């Protein structure tokens, strides 16, 4: 495929931003440009390469087959440019730009969001974006640069490292417990008001808790998000399985049935094409450090092994 004289290497910055965000407006915000400039640059790049790079739709900009091939090359060029900067400057990698972190709503809203200020203070030129939603994020489709998952990926060109184990328990308010029959065994849960996930939003098997603790029990209130479940529980609506790192921040909640103890794991996942970019590595290292420091928050019963 011949490259015409109109090809401008700088257009690739705009291409990468649109490919990673899927929208002109989001790409413009990353680049600190207006969306008409981004659109003009993309159009110029497509003319220079004599092929469409994106499929436009109401849902956004999706890569064509040619766009996916160019993405690999463009990201390799980005890594080379950053390596050249590091080599010439000689004072460490340049940590700047936008990093989108996709995380489950509980981890994102209750753990990571309060700590993101430390990341910004450490890297003033970094612009983190936190997407805290109950879903699996596709790194191959560039829905996020870093994803926090509940299972280690087994397919794709992905890097994964364990962040932390975390414990979940069954919680309710004292007012709820006082107004309902006593709970002495898991079988008693069938006569209680249970709170859980709407079935369509159990986005990974690791979230399907109720069959483990009360087979046959059905939640009376369901929600798509863990944060909404927590709020309903705090209001005395019922019993809910919650991560300890969320529940212990609310003195109005008490644990129910000590035998209910579920252990899960958070994983930090990055795509092989982005893994070594300074902004990705720095952000991932920061999250990993914060998770290690909060070990006893995630698993309150855990004690150092050398005791």
């Amino acid at each position: 495929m011949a490259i015409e004289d109109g090809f401008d290497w700088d257009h690739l910055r705009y291409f990468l931003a649109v490919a990673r965000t899927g929208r002109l407006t989001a790409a413009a915000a990353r680049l600190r440009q207006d969306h008409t400039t981004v659109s003009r640059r993309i159009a110029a790049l497509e003319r220079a390469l004599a092929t469409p790079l994106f499929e436009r739709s109401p849902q956004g900009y999706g890569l064509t087959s040619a766009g996916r091939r160019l993405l690999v090359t463009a990201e390799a060029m980005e890594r080379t440019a950053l390596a050249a900067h590091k080599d010439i400057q000689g004072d460490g990698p340049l940590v700047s730009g936008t990093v989108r972190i996709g995380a489950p709503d509980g981890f994102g809203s209750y753990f990571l969001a309060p700590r993101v200020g430390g990341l910004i203070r450490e890297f003033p030129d970094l612009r983190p974006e936190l997407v805290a939603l109950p879903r699996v994020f596709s790194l191959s489709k560039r829905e996020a640069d870093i994803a926090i998952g509940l299972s280690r990926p087994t397919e794709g060109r992905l890097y994964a490292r364990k962040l932390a184990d975390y414990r979940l328990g069954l919680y309710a308010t004292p007012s709820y417990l006082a107004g309902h029959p006593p709970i002495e065994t898991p079988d008693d849960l069938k006569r209680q008001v249970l709170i859980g996930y709407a079935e369509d939003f159990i986005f990974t098997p690791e979230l399907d808790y109720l069959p483990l603790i009360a087979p046959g029990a059905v939640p009376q209130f369901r929600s798509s998000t863990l944060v909404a479940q927590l709020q309903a529980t705090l209001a005395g609506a019922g019993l809910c399985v919650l991560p300890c790192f969320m529940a212990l921040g609310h003195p109005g909640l008490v644990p129910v049935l000590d035998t209910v103890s579920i252990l899960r794991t958070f994983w930090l996942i990055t795509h092989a094409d982005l893994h070594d970019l300074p902004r990705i590595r720095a952000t991932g290292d920061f999250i990993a450090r914060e998770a290690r420091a909060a070990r006893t928050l995630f698993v309150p019963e855990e004690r150092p092994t050398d005791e």
Side-chain angles (χ1 to χ4, degrees):
M1 180 171 58
I3 297 179
E4 299 178 0
D5 292 339
F7 181 83
D8 183 343
W9 298 107
D10 194 49
H11 292 338
L12 293 178
R13 289 196 306 118
Y14 294 81
F15 168 77
L16 282 172
V18 176
R20 288 168 176 167
T21 63
R23 294 189 176 276
L24 287 180
T25 51
R30 284 194 176 197
L31 296 166
R32 297 183 179 181
Q33 300 281 350
D34 61 82
H35 74 279
T36 56
T37 298
V38 178
S39 178
R40 190 167 58 249
R41 294 284 192 131
I42 294 300
L45 180 60
E46 289 179 324
R47 285 195 303 272
L49 296 175
T51 187
L53 301 171
F54 294 98
E55 295 175 347
R56 280 80 165 170
S57 75
Q59 288 72 43
Y61 277 52
L63 288 169
T64 63
S65 59
R68 289 191 292 271
R69 293 197 302 274
L70 180 60
L71 180 62
V72 174
T73 301
E75 288 181 334
M77 292 173 65
E78 181 184 45
R79 290 193 296 273
T80 300
L82 290 169
H85 180 277
K86 177 181 178 181
D87 182 57
I88 298 300
Q89 293 281 39
D91 58 356
L94 176 66
V95 178
S96 65
T98 301
V99 177
R100 174 168 290 186
I101 307 160
D105 60 318
F107 182 91
S109 298
Y110 270 77
F111 180 76
L112 190 52
R115 292 166 171 79
V116 76
L119 177 64
I120 295 171
R121 287 189 293 273
E122 187 172 348
F123 303 106
D125 294 325
L126 197 65
R127 297 189 297 279
E129 295 179 353
L130 176 59
V131 183
L133 292 172
R135 55 171 294 193
V136 174
F137 293 85
S138 173
L139 298 182
S140 61
K141 294 180 180 178
R142 301 306 190 260
E143 292 177 345
D145 301 313
I146 294 173
I148 308 300
L150 299 181
S151 61
R152 185 171 194 162
T154 58
E155 298 179 352
R157 300 177 59 244
L158 302 174
Y159 286 89
R161 57 172 155 169
K162 183 177 177 178
L163 280 182
D165 291 327
Y166 71 101
R167 195 173 299 284
L168 303 101
L170 188 64
Y171 291 89
T173 59
S175 62
Y176 170 86
L177 295 173
H180 290 80
I183 304 170
E184 298 176 353
T185 69
D187 198 53
D188 294 332
L189 297 177
K190 295 177 182 178
R191 295 180 290 277
Q192 302 289 329
V193 178
L194 299 177
I195 297 170
Y197 277 99
E199 289 186 5
D200 291 349
F201 291 90
I202 299 178
F203 62 91
T204 179
E206 286 77 13
L207 296 181
D208 201 7
Y209 312 125
L210 283 181
L212 300 177
I213 64 173
V218 178
Q220 188 167 346
F221 171 69
R222 302 175 188 261
S223 173
S224 61
T225 72
L226 190 58
V227 172
Q229 294 171 42
L230 170 66
Q231 293 300 323
T233 308
L234 286 168
L239 296 148
C240 188
V241 176
L242 294 168
C244 296
F245 72 86
M246 293 175 63
L248 294 179
H250 297 279
L253 294 179
V254 296
V256 180
L257 287 179
D258 291 340
T259 56
V260 175
S261 180
I262 301 169
L263 198 67
R264 293 290 184 263
T265 302
F266 286 125
W267 296 86
L268 188 145
I269 308 163
T270 55
H271 196 279
D273 292 340
L274 304 180
H275 178 70
D276 289 325
L277 292 180
R279 67 176 182 275
I280 305 299
R281 185 173 289 278
T283 302
D285 288 346
F286 174 86
I287 296 172
R289 288 198 307 271
E290 291 295 316
R292 284 196 301 271
R295 185 181 66 177
T296 55
L297 177 65
F298 288 120
V299 185
E301 297 84 1
E302 185 172 311
R303 295 290 184 271
T305 56
D306 56 354
E307 283 189 351

